[in-house]
């Protein structure tokens, strides 16, 4: 299929009209939500979505609702024009890029997006407050998946998942897709979105797409550009140790504590600071002590000022 230039839509009502016009023509709609700074991992999601839908929209929106004031909203990498050039080169491309100015703007006189970004740097508020709440932009309705959001990333980032589920709910209501594709690198996020869709009866099929890795095994992430060459080399300890743990499990080592210790030691010796390393059930995300059913080994670790996540499914 030939590459094409996507239509850019910034208005919520216009986005909804486009989707309804496509559906009136009998076409199915796919959605790939992103925060931009696109890389091959995103493009793999687009290719996957293309196999499930007639027309495809991607969203590019850095969501302030999932950042605490102390986190990296203000420094999150962005290159919108570069993203559009990359999308135009993808065979088949995308039909629409939904790039709203601010999904939390309800007609107030103040630029909520700018206030949220400033809040990420200036606020001294505690980490139980999001950038949105910190700057009082008037948004007070949140969607939560209460049990699945508590562990792993939710433990150190308490506002993150309610921000994700809220903005994804908004995107689903605006774009009205038939199918949405999320990357399995954000494993907990993918399962949370699946559960939200089930519990709230969204008529959206949520598909998880496999992790895309750099040639050396590092999971692709928009944050990788912030690693120094030395930090990037050290960060390979995550994927290497996860591969070793999976290999050990497949050879009969099913004690989760020993597998976790293996990964934690490898990352720590490489100079990383482990946020968590947990082996959990693939659907319930509950920690397990021995591998007796399909699990996923999830890791988050800091290298320098960059927090990376990765995981590997273990199916034995």
């Amino acid at each position: 299929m030939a590459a094409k230039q996507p239509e850019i839509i910034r208005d919520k009502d216009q986005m909804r009209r486009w989707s309804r016009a496509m559906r009136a023509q009998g076409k199915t709609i796919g959605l790939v939500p992103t925060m931009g700074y696109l890389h091959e991992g995103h493009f793999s999601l687009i290719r996957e979505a293309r196999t499930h839908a007639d027309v495809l929209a991607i969203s590019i929106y850095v969501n302030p609702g999932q950042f605490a004031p102390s986190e990296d909203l203000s420094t999150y990498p962005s290159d919108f024009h570069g993203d559009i050039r990359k999308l135009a080169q993808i065979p088949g491309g995308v039909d629409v890029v939904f790039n709203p100015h601010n999904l939390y703007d309800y007609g107030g006189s103040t630029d909520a997006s700018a206030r949220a970004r400033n809040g990420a740097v200036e606020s001294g508020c505690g980490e139980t407050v999001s950038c949105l709440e910190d700057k009082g932009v008037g948004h007070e309705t949140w969607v939560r998946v209460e049990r699945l959001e508590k562990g792993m990333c939710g433990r150190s980032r308490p506002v993150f998942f309610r921000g994700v589920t809220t903005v994804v709910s908004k995107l689903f209501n605006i774009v009205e897709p038939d199918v949405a594709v999320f990357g399995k690198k954000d494993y907990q996020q993918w399962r949370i979105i699946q559960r939200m869709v089930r519990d709230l009866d969204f008529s959206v099929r949520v598909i998880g797409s496999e992790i895309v890795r750099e040639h050396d095994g590092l999971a692709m992430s928009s944050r990788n550009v912030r690693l120094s060459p030395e930090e990037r080399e050290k960060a390979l300890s995550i994927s290497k140790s996860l591969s070793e743990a999976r290999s050990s499990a497949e050879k009969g080592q099913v004690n989760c504590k020993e597998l976790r210790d293996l990964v934690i030691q490898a990352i720590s010796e490489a100079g990383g600071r482990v946020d968590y390393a947990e082996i959990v059930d693939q659907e319930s995300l509950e920690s397990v002590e021995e591998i007796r059913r399909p699990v996923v080994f999830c890791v988050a670790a800091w290298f320098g000022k960059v927090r990376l996540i990765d995981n590997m499914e273990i199916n034995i």
Side-chain angles (χ1 to χ4, degrees):
M1 299 176 69
K4 62 182 176 184
Q5 192 74 20
E7 179 181 355
I8 299 172
I9 295 178
R10 291 191 165 88
D11 179 75
K12 292 185 284 188
D13 292 333
Q14 183 184 352
M15 183 69 247
R16 191 175 286 114
R17 287 194 297 271
W18 180 88
S19 292
R20 292 180 178 180
M22 293 300 104
R23 184 160 287 110
Q25 298 173 28
K27 296 180 178 179
T28 55
I29 301 164
L31 171 66
V32 178
T34 83
M35 295 209 300
Y37 212 73
L38 304 179
H39 51 68
E40 180 55 36
H42 296 108
F43 304 147
S44 73
L45 305 183
I46 290 169
R47 290 192 291 268
E48 178 69 23
R50 269 287 177 203
T51 68
H52 299 282
D54 299 319
V55 293
L56 180 60
I58 80 160
S59 61
I60 295 179
Y61 180 67
V62 180
N63 171 35
Q66 68 194 55
F67 290 84
S70 60
E71 293 179 331
D72 58 357
L73 171 62
S74 63
T75 59
Y76 196 87
S78 176
D79 181 15
F80 182 75
H81 296 296
D83 289 344
I84 298 302
R85 286 194 299 271
K86 292 174 185 176
L87 291 172
Q89 299 306 310
I90 299 176
V94 303
D95 298 281
V96 162
V97 172
F98 180 45
N99 177 229
H101 170 63
N102 181 10
L103 286 178
Y104 301 90
D105 182 1
Y106 306 107
S109 58
T110 305
D111 184 345
S113 177
R115 291 199 298 175
R117 285 184 175 271
N118 290 338
V121 179
E122 297 168 2
S123 171
C125 292
E127 60 183 0
T128 57
V129 180
S130 78
C131 288
L132 284 174
E133 290 175 298
D134 176 50
K135 290 300 166 185
V137 298
H139 182 91
E140 56 180 313
T141 302
W142 300 97
V143 178
R144 307 201 73 148
V145 180
E146 293 187 353
R147 184 179 57 78
L148 291 185
E149 72 172 33
K150 287 181 179 178
M152 296 190 289
C153 284
R155 196 174 298 120
S156 59
R157 305 186 70 190
V159 303
F160 178 73
F161 286 119
R162 71 164 200 183
V164 169
T165 47
T166 299
V167 82
V168 170
S169 295
K170 291 166 77 69
L171 289 170
F172 285 177
N173 284 330
I174 294 165
V175 181
E176 299 180 342
D178 298 284
V179 60
V181 178
F182 293 81
K184 283 188 178 182
K185 182 176 75 72
D186 301 284
Y187 202 93
Q188 186 177 12
Q189 172 179 282
W190 168 53
R191 289 302 194 188
I192 284 173
I193 296 298
Q194 281 190 321
R195 187 64 55 87
M196 178 192 77
V197 163
R198 186 200 73 175
D199 290 355
L200 297 183
D201 294 307
F202 280 101
S203 59
V204 180
R205 184 158 61 104
V206 175
I207 294 172
S209 187
E210 298 301 325
I211 295 174
V212 176
R213 299 184 179 278
E214 305 280 3
H215 68 280
D216 53 11
L218 186 69
M220 285 193 174
S221 169
S222 299
R223 289 187 168 93
N224 289 351
V225 297
R226 293 168 50 195
L227 294 165
S228 70
E230 182 181 6
E231 289 167 347
R232 193 190 183 289
E233 183 66 26
K234 292 178 177 179
L236 297 179
S237 60
I238 301 176
S239 58
K240 288 178 179 178
S241 61
L242 281 174
S243 293
E244 291 174 7
R246 181 171 62 184
S247 177
S248 295
E250 290 170 348
K251 293 175 182 176
Q253 172 57 275
V254 296
N255 183 287
C256 292
K257 182 182 184 305
E258 294 184 13
L259 294 173
R260 288 176 63 249
D261 288 346
L262 181 157
V263 169
I264 291 170
Q265 179 178 350
I267 295 172
S268 299
E269 289 179 351
R273 177 164 55 88
V274 176
D275 183 354
Y276 64 78
E278 296 191 27
I279 300 174
V280 299
D281 180 89
Q282 288 185 10
E283 292 197 14
S284 71
L285 303 184
E286 293 179 350
S287 295
V288 298
E289 295 182 1
E290 288 192 345
I291 301 176
R292 302 297 182 192
R293 57 188 185 276
V295 297
V296 58
F297 197 152
C298 298
V299 170
W302 292 86
F303 285 87
K305 296 182 179 180
V306 184
R307 183 179 182 272
L308 301 175
I309 62 172
D310 200 349
N311 67 78
M312 284 190 186
E313 292 179 325
I314 301 174
N315 299 298
I316 59 174

